[in-house]
Amino acid sequence: MQLKQLEVFVQVARLRSFSRAADALYLTQPTVSAHISALETELGAQLMLRSTRELQLTAAGQALLHYAVQIMGLTRKAEEAVRAAGDTLQGALTIAASTVPSQYLLPRVLAKLHQRWPEIRFQISQGDSGEAARRVAEHEAELGIIGTPVRRAGCECISCGSERLVIVTPNTEAYANLSGFFPAEKLRTAPFLVREPGSGTRRQSETFLKGIGVEPRSLRVAAQLQSTEAILQGVRYGLGIAIVSGLAAAEYASTGHILIFDHESPLLTRQFYLFYHRGRPLSPAAEQFRRELPRMLKELLC
């Protein structure tokens, strides 16, 4: 088996399409088909079912994908280790992150790291905490930064920093007259904006609400949105109120677009977690990032 064949196979398997894989790899579709056919001939097994509307892997294809992903990950890490063997950290560092870390933490952290190690190329993928953890567990990323703890066999999930969630409302006279105190009763009656069920912010919000006697299922949910940014925009334009990352809300509040309310409950404090594979050696860049991240987050979030 050739590495190029495995690279093509992984892309086709992930994208469920020969044409999309060809576009992603900057190859022609006949070239992609030729690589897959050669791989099937060498292995003596059909890897994909091409007759269905959406391409499907056979049992043999599923078995190969498990190892092909690991082989490609190890190949990438070997290249990075060779490049980083000198005094200068360099190469690609792949990080999978949930929404708030990817949008509001990592851009600030990476800007500082880039000044110190300009030869490192950061590759960030975004999903909810479960998706980010899956990418690390399946060797698609070296590190994960997530907002809720996830358990995966062979992986570590350790706290690396914390922040406060806040209640945010439109900047209207009615809310401004609350003078910084947001009563629980208004949480029950105001239109509410929430994240999707897999969101770490949503889980922490629901824990807080239950802690102050508000049943999350009783909320008047006006909309479920897929990102903190979408929720903040909804709050800004009067769609409803929400509980969001204080870090994310700060800029909107500073420009007067929304109002921020804190609460004395400790349940509004949520952790960020560093997620990585325990049994796989980290590249020099990833190891340095793992060591530096808690200190940098402490400076950023204090």
Side-chain angles (χ1 to χ4, degrees):
M1 288 183 290
Q2 300 176 9
L3 287 176
K4 191 63 179 179
Q5 292 173 339
L6 292 178
E7 180 186 14
V8 170
F9 171 73
V10 168
Q11 284 291 349
V12 173
R14 285 177 177 164
L15 298 174
R16 293 290 195 268
S17 165
F18 280 71
S19 60
R20 289 197 294 269
D23 291 340
L25 294 167
Y26 300 100
L27 298 173
T28 65
Q29 188 169 333
T31 300
V32 169
S33 297
H35 279 304
I36 299 299
S37 295
L39 194 57
E40 290 179 323
T41 299
E42 182 177 350
L43 294 174
Q46 184 177 3
L47 302 175
M48 300 177 176
L49 299 175
R50 301 166 175 81
S51 59
T52 58
R53 179 175 297 180
E54 183 182 74
L55 183 147
Q56 299 290 330
L57 294 181
T58 63
Q62 291 284 1
L64 177 61
L65 180 63
H66 173 75
Y67 292 101
V69 168
Q70 295 185 57
I71 290 169
M72 297 311 300
L74 287 171
T75 300
R76 183 177 63 250
K77 293 190 66 68
E79 294 173 348
E80 293 165 0
V82 170
R83 293 193 189 102
D87 294 331
T88 302
L89 290 178
Q90 54 184 322
L93 174 54
T94 54
I95 301 172
S98 56
T99 306
V100 169
S102 69
Q103 292 184 347
Y104 303 104
L105 282 179
L106 283 178
R108 305 184 191 195
V109 170
L110 298 185
K112 293 183 178 181
L113 293 179
H114 181 69
Q115 293 176 355
R116 295 170 58 185
W117 306 311
E119 297 303 316
I120 296 179
R121 184 176 70 259
F122 299 101
Q123 298 177 348
I124 311 300
S125 60
Q126 179 179 309
D128 62 25
S129 293
E131 172 64 14
R134 182 200 65 77
R135 288 179 179 273
V136 174
E138 296 183 5
H139 308 283
E140 296 177 21
E142 278 200 272
L143 299 172
I145 312 296
I146 56 182
T148 191
V150 176
R151 290 185 179 181
R152 283 267 187 165
C155 295
E156 291 284 354
C157 184
I158 58 175
S159 175
C160 60
S162 64
E163 72 150 349
R164 290 284 288 176
L165 300 184
V166 294
I167 302 166
V168 293
T169 74
N171 188 356
T172 63
E173 183 178 357
Y175 287 116
N177 288 338
L178 295 176
S179 301
F181 174 74
F182 203 95
E185 186 57 36
K186 278 199 170 292
L187 290 170
R188 295 186 180 94
T189 59
F192 218 89
L193 310 183
V194 298
R195 287 283 307 280
E196 72 281 4
S199 160
T201 300
R202 176 162 173 174
R203 291 181 186 176
Q204 190 72 38
S205 299
E206 291 180 347
T207 298
F208 158 70
L209 290 168
K210 291 176 182 177
I212 63 171
V214 177
E215 173 54 51
R217 287 177 295 182
S218 71
L219 296 176
R220 291 180 54 213
V221 176
Q224 176 180 299
L225 301 167
Q226 294 294 311
S227 72
T228 298
E229 194 67 21
I231 284 183
L232 287 168
Q233 288 285 347
V235 172
R236 173 184 177 181
Y237 290 108
L239 180 58
I241 68 171
I243 299 174
V244 300
S245 157
L247 185 65
E251 185 173 343
Y252 279 78
S254 69
T255 56
H257 293 311
I258 63 172
L259 298 176
I260 287 180
F261 296 82
D262 201 347
H263 193 283
E264 62 184 10
S265 171
L267 296 175
L268 280 180
T269 297
R270 67 99 168 263
Q271 302 293 316
F272 292 114
Y273 298 88
L274 179 65
F275 193 86
Y276 60 94
H277 207 289
R278 186 168 53 241
R280 183 180 63 176
L282 295 176
S283 68
E287 179 60 30
Q288 193 66 38
F289 183 91
R290 184 184 69 83
R291 293 177 181 177
E292 294 276 350
L293 184 63
R295 177 187 62 80
M296 298 185 74
L297 290 187
K298 185 176 181 181
E299 294 176 357
L300 179 63
L301 299 172
C302 65

